[in-house]
Protein backbone atom coordinates (compact mmCIF):
# COMPACT_ATOMS: atom_id res chain seq x y z
CA UNK A 1 0.00 0.00 0.00
CA UNK A 2 1.77 3.12 -1.25
CA UNK A 3 -0.94 5.61 -0.23
CA UNK A 4 -4.35 5.62 1.45
CA UNK A 5 -6.52 7.88 -0.71
CA UNK A 6 -10.02 6.38 -0.87
CA UNK A 7 -11.86 3.20 0.04
CA UNK A 8 -12.19 2.36 -3.64
CA UNK A 9 -8.41 2.03 -3.84
CA UNK A 10 -8.40 -0.74 -1.20
CA UNK A 11 -9.09 -4.41 -1.80
CA UNK A 12 -11.20 -6.34 0.69
CA UNK A 13 -8.04 -8.21 1.74
CA UNK A 14 -6.33 -4.91 2.52
CA UNK A 15 -9.35 -3.76 4.53
CA UNK A 16 -9.35 -6.94 6.62
CA UNK A 17 -5.58 -6.72 7.07
CA UNK A 18 -5.81 -3.17 8.46
CA UNK A 19 -8.72 -4.04 10.77
CA UNK A 20 -6.94 -7.11 12.11
CA UNK A 21 -3.64 -5.31 12.62
CA UNK A 22 -5.42 -2.49 14.49
CA UNK A 23 -7.19 -5.08 16.65
CA UNK A 24 -3.86 -6.75 17.51
CA UNK A 25 -2.41 -3.37 18.48
CA UNK A 26 -5.46 -2.72 20.66
CA UNK A 27 -5.34 -6.08 22.42
CA UNK A 28 -1.58 -5.98 22.90
CA UNK A 29 -1.21 -9.18 20.88
CA UNK A 30 1.17 -7.36 18.51
CA UNK A 31 3.77 -4.99 19.95
CA UNK A 32 3.73 -1.48 18.55
CA UNK A 33 6.44 -0.96 15.94
CA UNK A 34 8.77 1.92 16.65
CA UNK A 35 9.42 4.05 13.58
CA UNK A 36 12.25 6.02 15.12
CA UNK A 37 13.87 8.53 12.80
CA UNK A 38 10.75 8.90 10.61
CA UNK A 39 9.09 12.29 10.16
CA UNK A 40 5.41 13.04 9.53
CA UNK A 41 3.56 16.25 8.71
CA UNK A 42 -0.16 16.68 9.37
CA UNK A 43 -1.56 19.16 6.85
CA UNK A 44 -5.07 20.05 8.00
CA UNK A 45 -6.68 22.71 5.82
CA UNK A 46 -10.04 22.13 7.57
CA UNK A 47 -10.78 22.05 11.27
CA UNK A 48 -10.61 18.71 13.05
CA UNK A 49 -10.55 17.31 16.57
CA UNK A 50 -10.90 13.51 16.42
CA UNK A 51 -9.04 12.82 13.18
CA UNK A 52 -6.15 15.21 13.80
CA UNK A 53 -5.65 14.32 17.44
CA UNK A 54 -5.93 10.57 16.92
CA UNK A 55 -3.40 10.73 14.07
CA UNK A 56 -1.07 12.70 16.34
CA UNK A 57 -1.41 10.24 19.23
CA UNK A 58 -0.94 7.31 16.83
CA UNK A 59 2.19 8.93 15.40
CA UNK A 60 3.68 9.60 18.83
CA UNK A 61 2.96 6.06 20.05
CA UNK A 62 4.79 4.74 16.97
CA UNK A 63 7.80 6.93 17.70
CA UNK A 64 7.44 9.33 14.77
CA UNK A 65 8.68 12.90 14.89
CA UNK A 66 5.91 15.36 14.02
CA UNK A 67 6.81 18.37 11.89
CA UNK A 68 4.90 21.38 13.16
CA UNK A 69 2.69 22.64 10.32
CA UNK A 70 0.06 25.35 10.63
CA UNK A 71 -1.74 26.56 7.51
CA UNK A 72 -2.15 30.05 9.00
CA UNK A 73 1.60 30.56 9.52
CA UNK A 74 2.91 28.58 6.54
CA UNK A 75 3.59 29.77 2.99
CA UNK A 76 0.08 28.61 2.12
CA UNK A 77 -1.00 32.03 3.41
CA UNK A 78 1.27 33.54 0.73
CA UNK A 79 -0.39 31.57 -2.05
CA UNK A 80 1.83 28.47 -2.17
CA UNK A 81 0.10 25.55 -3.87
CA UNK A 82 -0.65 22.29 -2.12
CA UNK A 83 1.71 20.50 -4.50
CA UNK A 84 4.62 22.85 -3.74
CA UNK A 85 3.95 22.55 -0.01
CA UNK A 86 4.06 18.75 -0.22
CA UNK A 87 7.18 18.71 -2.42
CA UNK A 88 8.88 21.06 0.05
CA UNK A 89 8.16 18.71 2.94
CA UNK A 90 9.32 15.74 0.88
CA UNK A 91 12.54 17.58 -0.03
CA UNK A 92 13.49 18.33 3.57
CA UNK A 93 13.09 14.70 4.63
CA UNK A 94 9.46 14.16 5.61
CA UNK A 95 8.45 10.48 5.31
CA UNK A 96 4.64 10.70 5.48
CA UNK A 97 1.97 13.31 4.77
CA UNK A 98 -1.45 13.23 6.42
CA UNK A 99 -3.72 15.65 4.55
CA UNK A 100 -7.22 17.01 5.07
CA UNK A 101 -8.31 19.42 2.37
CA UNK A 102 -11.60 21.08 1.32
CA UNK A 103 -11.18 20.06 -2.35
CA UNK A 104 -12.51 16.71 -3.54
CA UNK A 105 -9.79 14.45 -4.95
CA UNK A 106 -7.04 16.93 -4.02
CA UNK A 107 -4.57 14.05 -4.20
CA UNK A 108 -4.88 13.86 -7.98
CA UNK A 109 -2.58 16.89 -8.21
CA UNK A 110 0.04 15.12 -6.05
CA UNK A 111 0.97 12.22 -8.33
CA UNK A 112 4.61 13.37 -8.42
CA UNK A 113 4.94 13.39 -4.65
CA UNK A 114 7.15 10.42 -3.79
CA UNK A 115 6.28 9.83 -0.15
CA UNK A 116 3.13 8.17 1.23
CA UNK A 117 -0.05 10.22 1.60
CA UNK A 118 -2.86 9.38 4.01
CA UNK A 119 -6.11 11.11 3.10
CA UNK A 120 -7.67 12.50 6.27
CA UNK A 121 -10.72 13.76 4.35
CA UNK A 122 -11.18 15.50 0.99
CA UNK A 123 -14.12 17.90 0.82
CA UNK A 124 -17.31 15.90 0.37
CA UNK A 125 -15.30 13.13 -1.32
CA UNK A 126 -14.01 10.42 1.01
CA UNK A 127 -12.68 9.84 4.51
CA UNK A 128 -10.97 6.44 4.38
CA UNK A 129 -9.61 6.24 7.93
CA UNK A 130 -13.05 7.08 9.33
CA UNK A 131 -14.57 4.34 7.23
CA UNK A 132 -11.90 1.87 8.36
CA UNK A 133 -12.41 2.65 12.03
CA UNK A 134 -16.17 2.27 11.51
CA UNK A 135 -15.55 -1.12 9.91
CA UNK A 136 -13.28 -2.10 12.80
CA UNK A 137 -16.03 -1.18 15.26
CA UNK A 138 -18.61 -3.22 13.34
CA UNK A 139 -16.23 -6.18 13.03
CA UNK A 140 -15.59 -6.12 16.79
CA UNK A 141 -19.33 -6.34 17.33
CA UNK A 142 -20.33 -8.96 14.76
CA UNK A 143 -17.19 -10.60 13.39
CA UNK A 144 -18.55 -10.35 9.82
CA UNK A 145 -20.15 -7.94 7.35
CA UNK A 146 -22.01 -10.19 4.92
CA UNK A 147 -25.77 -9.64 5.17
CA UNK A 148 -25.70 -6.92 7.84
CA UNK A 149 -28.40 -4.29 7.36
CA UNK A 150 -27.03 -0.77 7.68
CA UNK A 151 -29.00 2.46 7.45
CA UNK A 152 -26.92 5.63 7.02
CA UNK A 153 -28.97 8.63 8.10
CA UNK A 154 -28.51 12.29 7.35
CA UNK A 155 -26.62 14.56 5.00
CA UNK A 156 -25.69 11.96 2.37
CA UNK A 157 -24.96 14.46 -0.39
CA UNK A 158 -22.26 16.34 1.52
CA UNK A 159 -20.83 13.54 3.64
CA UNK A 160 -17.48 11.98 2.80
CA UNK A 161 -18.18 9.44 5.57
CA UNK A 162 -21.38 8.29 3.87
CA UNK A 163 -19.60 7.88 0.55
CA UNK A 164 -16.63 5.97 2.01
CA UNK A 165 -18.82 3.66 4.07
CA UNK A 166 -21.18 3.03 1.17
CA UNK A 167 -18.34 1.75 -1.01
CA UNK A 168 -16.64 -0.28 1.71
CA UNK A 169 -19.74 -1.86 3.24
CA UNK A 170 -21.12 -2.82 -0.17
CA UNK A 171 -17.78 -4.39 -1.12
CA UNK A 172 -17.85 -6.41 2.11
CA UNK A 173 -21.36 -7.71 1.51
CA UNK A 174 -23.50 -5.54 3.79
CA UNK A 175 -26.91 -4.18 2.75
CA UNK A 176 -26.72 -0.38 2.76
CA UNK A 177 -29.74 1.93 2.92
CA UNK A 178 -29.94 5.72 3.17
CA UNK A 179 -32.29 8.03 5.02
CA UNK A 180 -32.09 11.72 4.17
CA UNK A 181 -34.04 14.91 3.53
CA UNK A 182 -34.76 15.18 -0.19
CA UNK A 183 -32.32 18.08 -0.68
CA UNK A 184 -29.43 15.97 0.61
CA UNK A 185 -29.97 12.90 -1.56
CA UNK A 186 -26.94 11.75 -3.54
CA UNK A 187 -28.17 10.12 -6.72
CA UNK A 188 -24.68 8.95 -7.67
CA UNK A 189 -24.79 6.31 -4.92
CA UNK A 190 -27.02 3.38 -5.79
CA UNK A 191 -28.57 2.57 -2.43
CA UNK A 192 -32.30 2.70 -1.62
CA UNK A 193 -33.66 5.62 0.38
CA UNK A 194 -35.95 4.48 3.17
CA UNK A 195 -38.19 5.92 5.86
CA UNK A 196 -36.51 5.67 9.25
CA UNK A 197 -39.60 4.31 10.99
CA UNK A 198 -40.08 1.61 8.34
CA UNK A 199 -36.66 0.00 8.95
CA UNK A 200 -35.61 0.91 12.48
CA UNK A 201 -36.65 -2.42 13.99
CA UNK A 202 -34.90 -4.54 11.34
CA UNK A 203 -31.46 -2.90 10.97
CA UNK A 204 -28.26 -4.05 12.62
CA UNK A 205 -26.47 -0.70 12.45
CA UNK A 206 -27.81 2.84 12.56
CA UNK A 207 -25.07 5.13 11.29
CA UNK A 208 -25.93 8.77 11.94
CA UNK A 209 -24.24 11.67 10.16
CA UNK A 210 -23.53 15.21 11.23
CA UNK A 211 -25.37 17.91 9.31
CA UNK A 212 -22.66 19.63 7.27
CA UNK A 213 -23.55 23.22 8.18
CA UNK A 214 -20.33 24.57 6.67
CA UNK A 215 -21.28 23.16 3.24
CA UNK A 216 -24.83 24.55 3.17
CA UNK A 217 -26.29 27.92 2.29
CA UNK A 218 -28.29 29.81 4.90
CA UNK A 219 -31.54 29.38 2.98
CA UNK A 220 -31.11 25.61 2.83
CA UNK A 221 -30.17 25.41 6.51
CA UNK A 222 -33.32 27.31 7.45
CA UNK A 223 -35.44 24.59 5.82
CA UNK A 224 -34.20 21.97 8.27
CA UNK A 225 -34.56 23.44 11.68
CA UNK A 226 -33.42 21.41 14.67
CA UNK A 227 -36.80 20.07 15.81
CA UNK A 228 -38.05 19.25 12.32
CA UNK A 229 -34.92 17.32 11.36
CA UNK A 230 -34.82 15.43 14.65
CA UNK A 231 -38.45 14.41 14.35
CA UNK A 232 -38.15 13.10 10.77
CA UNK A 233 -34.61 11.74 10.64
CA UNK A 234 -33.04 11.74 14.10
CA UNK A 235 -32.65 8.93 16.62
CA UNK A 236 -35.03 9.60 19.48
CA UNK A 237 -35.92 7.39 22.44
CA UNK A 238 -38.91 5.85 20.68
CA UNK A 239 -36.83 4.73 17.70
CA UNK A 240 -34.00 3.58 19.95
CA UNK A 241 -36.40 1.37 21.91
CA UNK A 242 -37.44 -0.36 18.67
CA UNK A 243 -33.90 -1.40 17.77
CA UNK A 244 -33.01 -5.09 17.82
CA UNK A 245 -31.27 -6.21 21.04
CA UNK A 246 -27.89 -6.55 19.32
CA UNK A 247 -28.17 -3.49 17.06
CA UNK A 248 -25.63 -0.70 17.46
CA UNK A 249 -25.67 3.07 16.94
CA UNK A 250 -22.75 4.89 15.32
CA UNK A 251 -21.81 8.49 14.52
CA UNK A 252 -18.49 9.88 13.17
CA UNK A 253 -18.86 13.02 15.36
CA UNK A 254 -18.87 15.83 16.18
CA UNK A 255 -22.42 15.20 17.31
CA UNK A 256 -25.16 17.81 17.09
CA UNK A 257 -26.98 16.64 20.21
CA UNK A 258 -30.73 16.86 19.89
CA UNK A 259 -30.49 16.95 16.10
CA UNK A 260 -29.07 13.68 14.75
CA UNK A 261 -29.48 11.95 18.10
CA UNK A 262 -31.18 12.63 21.41
CA UNK A 263 -28.52 13.76 23.86
CA UNK A 264 -29.15 11.00 26.40
CA UNK A 265 -28.61 8.35 23.72
CA UNK A 266 -25.05 9.37 22.83
CA UNK A 267 -23.76 7.10 25.61
CA UNK A 268 -26.68 4.65 25.71
CA UNK A 269 -25.89 0.90 25.88
CA UNK A 270 -26.28 0.40 22.12
CA UNK A 271 -24.14 3.42 21.25
CA UNK A 272 -20.61 2.82 19.99
CA UNK A 273 -19.81 6.49 19.33
CA UNK A 274 -16.93 6.78 21.80
CA UNK A 275 -15.75 3.26 20.96
CA UNK A 276 -15.35 4.48 17.37
CA UNK A 277 -13.08 7.26 18.61
CA UNK A 278 -10.96 4.82 20.59
CA UNK A 279 -10.66 2.48 17.61
CA UNK A 280 -9.66 5.38 15.39
CA UNK A 281 -6.30 5.75 17.08
CA UNK A 282 -5.45 2.04 16.70
CA UNK A 283 -6.67 1.94 13.12
CA UNK A 284 -4.57 4.97 12.18
CA UNK A 285 -1.56 3.30 13.77
CA UNK A 286 -2.17 0.33 11.49
CA UNK A 287 -2.42 2.61 8.44
CA UNK A 288 0.81 4.42 9.32
CA UNK A 289 2.63 1.13 9.86
CA UNK A 290 1.46 -0.18 6.50
CA UNK A 291 2.50 2.99 4.69
CA UNK A 292 5.94 3.28 6.27
CA UNK A 293 6.77 -0.44 6.45
CA UNK A 294 5.36 -1.42 3.07
Amino acid sequence: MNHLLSMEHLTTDQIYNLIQKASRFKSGEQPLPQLDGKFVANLFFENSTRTKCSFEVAELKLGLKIINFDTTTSSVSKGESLYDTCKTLESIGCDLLVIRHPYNDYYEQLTNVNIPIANAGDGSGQHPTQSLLDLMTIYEEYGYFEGLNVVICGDIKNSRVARSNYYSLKALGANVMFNSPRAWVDESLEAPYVNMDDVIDSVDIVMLLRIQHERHGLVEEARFMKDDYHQKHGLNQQRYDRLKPNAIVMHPAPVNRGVEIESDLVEAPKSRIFKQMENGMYLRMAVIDELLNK
Side-chain angles (χ1 to χ4, degrees):
M1 189 169 76
N2 295 320
H3 304 285
L4 177 62
L5 303 178
S6 78
M7 294 306 294
E8 293 165 283
H9 289 114
L10 292 178
T11 66
T12 55
D13 285 344
Q14 287 175 316
I15 290 173
Y16 276 112
N17 177 55
L18 287 167
I19 292 172
Q20 291 162 357
K21 177 177 283 193
S23 296
R24 292 194 298 271
F25 287 162
K26 182 178 178 179
S27 68
E29 179 184 348
Q30 181 173 341
L32 300 182
Q34 290 303 297
L35 304 171
D36 298 330
K38 299 284 189 180
F39 289 85
V40 59
N42 300 309
L43 284 65
F44 277 69
F45 295 85
E46 288 186 325
N47 294 336
S48 172
T49 299
R50 275 147 295 278
T51 303
K52 188 172 188 292
C53 291
S54 66
F55 260 115
E56 289 176 348
V57 172
E59 292 155 2
L60 291 170
K61 283 181 176 286
L62 293 176
L64 274 77
K65 295 178 175 64
I66 301 175
I67 297 173
N68 184 31
F69 182 87
D70 185 343
T71 56
T72 62
T73 58
S74 74
S75 291
V76 171
S77 63
K78 301 176 182 178
E80 183 172 67
S81 69
L82 175 62
Y83 175 80
D84 286 344
T85 297
C86 293
K87 287 299 288 186
T88 297
L89 291 164
E90 175 191 334
S91 299
I92 64 175
C94 187
D95 299 287
L96 171 66
L97 300 174
V98 177
I99 305 176
R100 170 171 288 188
H101 201 277
Y103 293 166
N104 288 14
D105 305 325
Y106 69 79
Y107 43 80
E108 291 182 353
Q109 63 184 284
L110 304 179
T111 53
N112 290 329
V113 174
N114 299 309
I115 55 177
I117 295 169
N119 180 11
D122 60 298
S124 58
Q126 292 216 24
H127 195 345
T129 58
Q130 179 67 49
S131 181
L132 286 164
L133 74 88
D134 289 346
L135 295 175
M136 178 182 175
T137 305
I138 294 169
Y139 194 72
E140 279 185 341
E141 202 72 28
Y142 293 100
Y144 62 91
F145 299 97
E146 187 78 29
L148 290 175
N149 294 315
V150 184
V151 60
I152 303 179
C153 311
D155 190 359
I156 307 298
K157 181 178 180 179
N158 295 287
S159 174
R160 53 195 171 210
V161 177
R163 189 163 288 101
S164 295
N165 278 328
Y166 166 78
Y167 287 123
S168 56
L169 287 166
K170 290 284 285 184
L172 293 165
N175 304 312
V176 179
M177 300 167 280
F178 290 144
N179 171 265
S180 174
R182 184 176 298 276
W184 299 340
V185 167
D186 187 339
E187 295 180 353
S188 70
L189 303 177
E190 297 179 357
Y193 281 78
V194 297
N195 185 292
M196 190 77 147
D197 291 315
D198 291 342
V199 301
I200 194 67
D201 53 3
S202 62
V203 297
D204 301 293
I205 298 144
V206 178
M207 188 175 290
L208 306 167
L209 301 173
R210 180 180 68 88
I211 297 177
Q212 307 276 309
H213 293 292
E214 68 275 17
R215 305 193 198 281
H216 301 158
L218 293 177
V219 174
E220 186 179 19
E221 279 193 39
R223 294 178 56 201
F224 302 111
M225 300 302 290
K226 173 180 174 180
D227 293 340
D228 183 62
Y229 182 90
H230 185 67
Q231 179 182 4
K232 293 179 180 177
H233 306 283
L235 186 66
N236 54 28
Q237 188 67 53
Q238 292 74 24
R239 290 178 177 133
Y240 179 89
D241 290 341
R242 291 176 55 194
L243 288 168
K244 296 194 297 187
N246 64 337
I248 61 172
V249 176
M250 305 177 71
H251 193 306
V255 178
N256 294 308
R257 290 173 180 255
V259 182
E260 301 103 32
I261 182 171
E262 197 167 305
S263 185
D264 290 344
L265 299 178
V266 172
E267 295 182 74
K270 291 183 173 68
S271 172
R272 299 295 181 269
I273 295 173
F274 286 99
K275 180 66 68 177
Q276 291 171 260
M277 299 178 198
E278 178 188 3
N279 286 344
M281 189 268 294
Y282 293 104
L283 189 284
R284 288 170 177 127
M285 290 169 61
V287 167
I288 293 167
D289 184 48
E290 285 292 311
L291 290 173
L292 292 179
N293 282 326
K294 55 181 181 296

